Amino acid sequence: MPKTPPPEPVEERIQDIDLSTEMQGSFLEYAYSVIYSRALPDARDGLKPVQRRILYQMSEMGLRPDRGHVKSARVVGEVMGKLHPHGDSAIYDALVRLAQEWALRVPLVDGHGNFGSLDDGPAAARYTEARLAAAALALTENLDEDVVDFIPNYDGQFQQPAVLPAAFPNLLVNGASGIAVGMATNMAPHNLIEVVAAATHLLENPDATTEDLMEFVPGPDFPSGGILMGLDGVKDAYTTGRGALKVRGKTSIEPLGPRRTGIIVSELPYMVGPERLIEKIRDAVQSKKLQGISDVTDLTDRNHGLRVAIGVKTGFDPNAVLEQLYRLTPLEDSFSINNVALVDGQPRTLGLKELLSVYVGHRLEVITRRSRYRLARREERLHLVEGLLIAILDIDEVIQVIRSSDDSEQARTRLRSVFDLSELQAEYILELRLRRLTKFSRIELESERDALLAEIASLRELLGSPVLLRAAVARELDAAADAYGTPRRTLLMNAAPPKPRATKGAADLQIADAPTVLALSTTGRAVRVDLAEGQELAVPARRSKHDAILATVETTVRAEIGALTNLGRVVRFSPVDLPSVPATSVQLAAGTPLRDYLGITTKGERILGFVRFDSDVPVAMGTAQGTVKRIVPSTLPVRPDLEVIGLKAGDAVVGAAEAPDDVELVFVTTDAQLLHFPASAVRPQGAPAGGMAGMKLGSDASVLFFGAVDPASDAVVATVSGAESILPGTDPGRAKVSSFIEYPGKGRATGGVRAHAFLKGEDRLTVAWVGPNPPQAVDPTGAVRKLPESGARRDASGQPIDGVIGSIGRTIV
């Protein structure tokens, strides 16, 4: 058996290469590939290559907003197989970001399924579905009209756009972020309406400065909202392309429950999730860097959006705690702007004007190329239509020429020579169908010819006039803003955030036990007015809602006082967590409903006044059935909830006030009777007692008002008449204000004197009040109403009033 000859030796090819030169060249190629093909967006359409390929391929797949979603895995497969030579995870990550409404100001993909959150990743591509969002159509429109250049894909089998037409400035609107080799980009999102306004202004005024453009684009507009603190960094970024911003979450101080105050976070800085915030808060509390936090609850849901409730411990100043949250947690975050994008294939750092200029230049080129394409197509069509019209006018001769020709080539040649047609026109006539030979078809062709001539003239005029071209770009920009623009979400604050104050511990955050006045409105709202030494309360310059005062009490911020209700019980509480208002302009509208603060849930239970447990001055109470009682607060048992009067069935307390022996106790009834007698006529009793007879009532009458009046003061009596048969709140009735000294006093347990004369149709008082002049009236919603001037006779019928009065009280001083 012959032996197999040994293989011929392979000639070795060894080439010596300098390692440093090879590494330098390879690194530069890699760096250029990352910069140009992966990490940086194009300044014209604001898209990275993978994002552009996703949108283009989805457009080619027909995944329009009016059609159904398809599996995201199918989109990823099409993009990876035809256009993007990288892994499916990179493509899916880019697709997911295009669909996340908290990442993009105007999302470009409509996602269906779990596309993640700020604190959690999305589901796998096989579980989610996607289609183009409506705004993405504005980026991909007119691609079939030669508006941009097309380039081969990675293996030369398919074509892809080098850039998208982009009917709005996507780079500024949606921002961008990416890390390349030796450089990075981090661009903030903006409001579409504002950016379009700036671009339109630049079209009309090419010499506009950055300051001029900032009048239209004052700052970024993040999808998550928030508050942008200070505009110095914004101006730096818009001028040089680089700057740093401070963004705070949107917060409010609200009651979280009975006697609990908290901080509600409704918006967070850009790309900060609630779980991250909560984690940082818990870490700061556990490390004892943050004091005054009792609990943190994430109440975010689909219906109400972001809502994080941060409970503040009793006695801590919520504003001071909030300041610490800004300093120690992502509730205040930094955003560094680095506007790096590709311009003519080269990375450049761009300011606001440069970004807009590149985009405007791109749109001018797109509109120019589109107009040229449309002009060419319409000229081609006009050429064919004119040939058809020639054929239809001499159709018999055309048919004769064709029938007498030996073949189609001869027919084409003879048609061109006989009718002076071009080769295209002759070919088109040969393809003519017999149904086009009707009279109606000739009318259609003539109408089409006229329309084509008008369009051609318009397109030529457009292409010949830079002014018209810029106007066309501006019109399309305005249309995009109208279609896809939304109101601004981020609030801009011109002032930078104050520097955090030094803290030495929990005591710095606690509310000091300073003197305060607790005020309660007739509509049930309460505020705390903290006073400096020697400071007095002041009437606001303009009255606002709920400013009719029912009761006040002087105490301290951290003291315990009691709230006396119409059911005859006293609820013990501390005013430390009530809203505080300045003493210079006390307005009850800023207060909180005291029922909610105390956790009172019994239907119909109202708070009538306050009790100081350290006071020896008696407090008097009057009931609807005419009973009166005085108690001494310092003698009451120490309980959270205490019954201070034994009420009969169907009875209720209608008023309460401090009542030393030298004041007059006053009853006013629904049948317009007023009785007053000295408080010394009512001896103080213990908590369980039911009181004593205060006023003798007429049939079907009940007590409407009870209070205490200093006889030496300039007190007045305000009454409003009405009818029991009229639906409450529909008829304002008649009101009068008279001096208290016109009403003679009588003994306890007797009837009173007339306080109001009823006219025809009136049979009862709807509102009554006795107290210092001037009285303050409000309607059932708390809005201020005007009362007649004081000075009416005690038995007068009053004057018509312009609105329904729900209650009357006194002013703050």
Side-chain angles (χ1 to χ4, degrees):
M1 183 175 181
K3 295 182 178 180
T4 305
E8 296 182 2
V10 179
E11 183 179 355
E12 294 183 357
R13 183 173 178 271
I14 300 175
Q15 183 177 359
D16 292 332
I17 298 176
D18 182 68
L19 182 60
S20 62
T21 303
E22 177 64 22
M23 289 296 293
Q24 184 179 6
S26 298
F27 180 78
L28 287 175
E29 289 182 8
Y30 167 74
Y32 178 78
S33 174
V34 172
I35 291 170
Y36 183 75
S37 302
R38 294 176 65 179
L40 298 184
D42 193 297
R44 294 170 292 178
D45 62 4
L47 297 171
K48 301 177 185 179
V50 63
Q51 297 171 328
R52 186 180 304 114
R53 290 162 182 166
I54 289 171
L55 296 180
Y56 172 68
Q57 192 58 46
M58 291 180 73
S59 176
E60 290 294 293
M61 295 168 66
L63 303 181
R64 301 173 59 85
D66 55 353
R67 300 184 183 178
H69 297 78
V70 302
K71 288 286 187 182
S72 299
R74 179 181 165 191
V75 176
V76 171
E78 288 285 321
V79 173
M80 182 170 58
K82 293 182 178 180
L83 303 177
H84 197 66
H86 298 283
D88 56 347
S89 61
I91 299 172
Y92 184 54
D93 288 345
L95 173 67
V96 166
R97 189 178 188 277
L98 292 174
Q100 291 176 334
E101 58 184 17
W102 59 87
L104 300 188
R105 190 60 180 83
V106 179
L108 302 176
V109 170
D110 179 11
H112 183 69
N114 179 15
F115 275 76
S117 67
L118 284 166
D119 299 304
D120 198 9
R126 62 184 179 272
Y127 297 122
T128 62
E129 298 177 336
R131 65 184 178 190
L132 289 176
L137 299 182
L139 297 184
T140 58
E141 65 181 358
N142 306 131
L143 278 173
D144 56 347
E145 295 185 285
D146 192 34
V147 291
V148 295
D149 293 332
F150 275 72
I151 57 176
N153 72 330
Y154 60 89
D155 60 0
Q157 293 188 39
F158 301 97
Q159 294 286 310
Q160 60 181 337
V163 65
L164 293 185
F168 61 85
N170 178 61
L171 184 57
L172 274 167
V173 171
N174 280 325
S177 63
I179 300 176
V181 177
M183 64 184 64
T185 184
N186 196 38
M187 305 183 69
H190 292 77
N191 186 272
L192 173 58
I193 298 174
E194 296 174 353
V195 172
V196 165
T200 303
H201 181 74
L202 188 61
L203 278 166
E204 298 171 352
N205 304 275
D207 297 329
T209 64
T210 301
E211 288 75 13
D212 296 335
L213 297 175
M214 284 187 66
E215 294 182 5
F216 301 94
V217 185
D221 185 23
F222 298 105
S224 56
I227 303 173
L228 184 60
M229 306 298 296
L231 301 181
D232 292 340
V234 174
K235 188 172 183 179
D236 292 341
Y238 288 169
T239 304
T240 66
R242 299 190 180 190
L245 316 176
K246 286 285 187 182
V247 184
R248 285 183 171 182
K250 186 177 180 181
T251 62
S252 60
I253 297 174
E254 302 177 10
L256 298 182
R259 308 175 212 186
R260 291 187 64 224
T261 300
I263 300 169
I264 300 298
V265 181
S266 55
E267 294 177 5
L268 285 172
Y270 185 48
M271 301 305 289
V272 174
E275 290 185 12
R276 178 185 164 197
L277 174 67
I278 292 172
E279 180 183 358
K280 292 294 184 181
I281 291 175
R282 287 174 177 166
D283 291 345
V285 170
Q286 290 176 1
S287 62
K288 300 190 183 304
K289 294 180 180 178
L290 182 58
Q291 305 291 334
I293 302 293
S294 60
D295 58 84
V296 184
T297 308
D298 187 1
L299 303 175
T300 304
D301 57 31
R302 293 182 182 271
N303 295 326
H304 302 93
L306 176 69
R307 185 177 173 86
V308 177
I310 304 172
V312 179
K313 291 181 179 178
T314 300
F316 283 78
D317 185 353
N319 292 296
V321 173
L322 183 59
E323 182 182 315
Q324 298 299 306
L325 287 170
Y326 287 140
R327 186 170 64 88
L328 299 172
T329 71
L331 193 57
E332 178 180 284
D333 203 12
S334 297
F335 186 90
S336 297
I337 293 180
N338 187 24
N339 294 335
V340 178
L342 295 174
V343 180
D344 297 328
Q346 301 296 321
R348 285 180 52 190
T349 302
L350 306 171
L352 176 62
K353 182 176 180 180
E354 289 81 6
L355 285 167
L356 288 171
S357 297
V358 171
Y359 172 77
V360 166
H362 172 59
R363 280 306 291 178
L364 288 170
E365 182 182 357
V366 166
I367 301 300
T368 301
R369 292 182 60 161
R370 186 185 68 188
S371 301
R372 288 173 180 165
Y373 178 87
R374 291 178 177 178
L375 177 60
R377 300 290 82 77
R378 279 149 183 76
E379 287 177 339
E380 291 173 2
R381 178 60 184 169
L382 178 62
H383 185 62
L384 296 177
V385 169
E386 288 175 339
L388 281 177
L389 284 170
I390 292 173
I392 289 178
L393 288 174
D394 298 314
I395 191 60
D396 293 335
E397 188 175 353
V398 169
I399 293 173
Q400 181 62 33
V401 169
I402 295 173
R403 291 187 62 182
S404 62
S405 300
D406 294 333
D407 52 30
S408 60
E409 183 63 32
Q410 185 182 19
R412 186 184 303 111
T413 303
R414 293 180 64 192
L415 284 173
R416 293 184 61 186
S417 62
V418 172
F419 297 101
D420 193 20
L421 300 175
S422 68
E423 184 173 353
L424 283 174
Q425 289 174 324
E427 183 65 31
Y428 197 61
I429 290 171
L430 286 174
E431 299 293 334
L432 184 66
R433 294 185 180 183
L434 293 177
R435 65 183 179 184
R436 298 297 302 274
L437 301 180
T438 65
K439 181 179 179 181
F440 184 70
S441 292
R442 176 184 170 183
I443 296 174
E444 282 184 331
L445 288 172
E446 289 176 344
S447 298
E448 184 179 358
R449 177 195 61 192
D450 295 340
L452 287 170
L453 287 171
E455 290 183 27
I456 289 171
S458 176
L459 288 169
R460 286 176 176 170
E461 184 183 10
L462 176 65
L463 289 169
S465 172
V467 174
L468 292 178
L469 198 62
R470 289 177 175 272
V473 173
R475 278 197 308 272
E476 296 190 8
L477 281 172
D478 290 337
D482 292 340
Y484 313 115
T486 54
R488 167 172 279 276
R489 297 176 185 173
T490 300
L491 179 65
L492 302 178
M493 299 289 288
N494 194 27
K499 293 182 179 180
R501 63 184 182 184
T503 57
K504 298 181 180 179
D508 290 337
L509 303 182
Q510 293 186 15
I511 301 173
D513 192 19
T516 189
V517 172
L518 192 60
L520 175 67
S521 74
T522 58
T523 51
R525 304 182 77 88
V527 295
R528 199 186 73 229
V529 189
D530 298 341
L531 302 174
E533 185 175 353
Q535 189 177 20
E536 296 181 355
L537 300 182
V539 179
R542 186 171 65 88
R543 310 303 298 169
S544 67
K545 273 193 170 187
H546 310 285
D547 278 351
I549 304 298
L550 176 63
T552 59
V553 63
E554 295 182 7
T555 180
T556 60
V557 172
R558 306 176 71 86
E560 284 197 340
I561 59 175
L564 196 154
T565 76
N566 62 328
L567 299 186
R569 68 187 187 111
V570 172
V571 180
R572 186 182 293 262
F573 73 101
S574 172
V576 66
D577 288 325
L578 279 173
S580 177
V581 298
T584 55
S585 182
V586 180
Q587 293 188 352
L588 272 294
T592 188
L594 192 56
R595 269 177 53 94
D596 298 342
Y597 182 78
L598 299 179
I600 294 176
T601 58
T602 304
K603 186 176 180 180
E605 187 169 12
R606 296 183 297 108
I607 298 163
L608 303 176
F610 298 120
V611 174
R612 283 185 52 179
F613 294 111
D614 60 349
S615 174
D616 293 328
V617 178
V619 173
M621 295 166 282
T623 73
Q625 295 180 2
T627 300
V628 65
K629 178 181 179 180
R630 283 205 304 167
I631 58 171
V632 178
S634 60
T635 64
L636 295 175
V638 180
R639 295 177 192 169
D641 186 343
L642 175 68
E643 185 177 311
V644 292
I645 183 172
L647 295 173
K648 298 178 182 178
D651 201 3
V653 179
V654 296
E658 281 194 343
D661 290 346
D662 57 351
V663 301
E664 292 284 304
L665 301 182
V666 185
F667 285 89
V668 182
T669 64
T670 55
D671 59 354
Q673 297 296 308
L674 185 148
L675 170 68
H676 68 90
F677 53 84
S680 56
V682 182
R683 58 179 177 81
Q685 295 177 301
M692 59 186 67
M695 181 178 185
K696 184 178 180 182
L697 302 179
S699 60
D700 299 328
S702 62
V703 175
L704 189 61
F705 170 85
F706 173 82
V709 174
D710 182 355
S713 66
D714 183 22
V716 294
V717 178
T719 52
V720 180
S721 60
E724 188 173 5
S725 59
I726 297 177
L727 190 66
T730 59
D731 183 19
R734 301 173 68 88
K736 76 174 184 68
V737 179
S738 53
S739 177
F740 178 70
I741 60 175
E742 290 198 13
Y743 297 82
K746 290 191 174 184
R748 180 180 63 82
T750 63
V753 297
R754 183 185 295 275
H756 197 111
F758 294 137
L759 297 181
K760 184 178 181 181
E762 297 177 341
D763 57 11
R764 63 191 297 269
L765 292 182
T766 58
V767 181
W769 179 82
V770 183
N773 198 25
Q776 178 70 61
V778 295
D779 68 10
T781 68
V784 174
R785 291 294 183 189
K786 187 175 181 180
L787 285 169
E789 295 293 331
S790 177
R793 301 193 323 272
R794 68 174 179 85
D795 57 351
S797 59
Q799 301 176 19
I801 49 179
D802 58 358
V804 175
I805 292 178
S807 57
I808 302 175
R810 61 182 175 87
T811 57
I812 192 66
V813 292

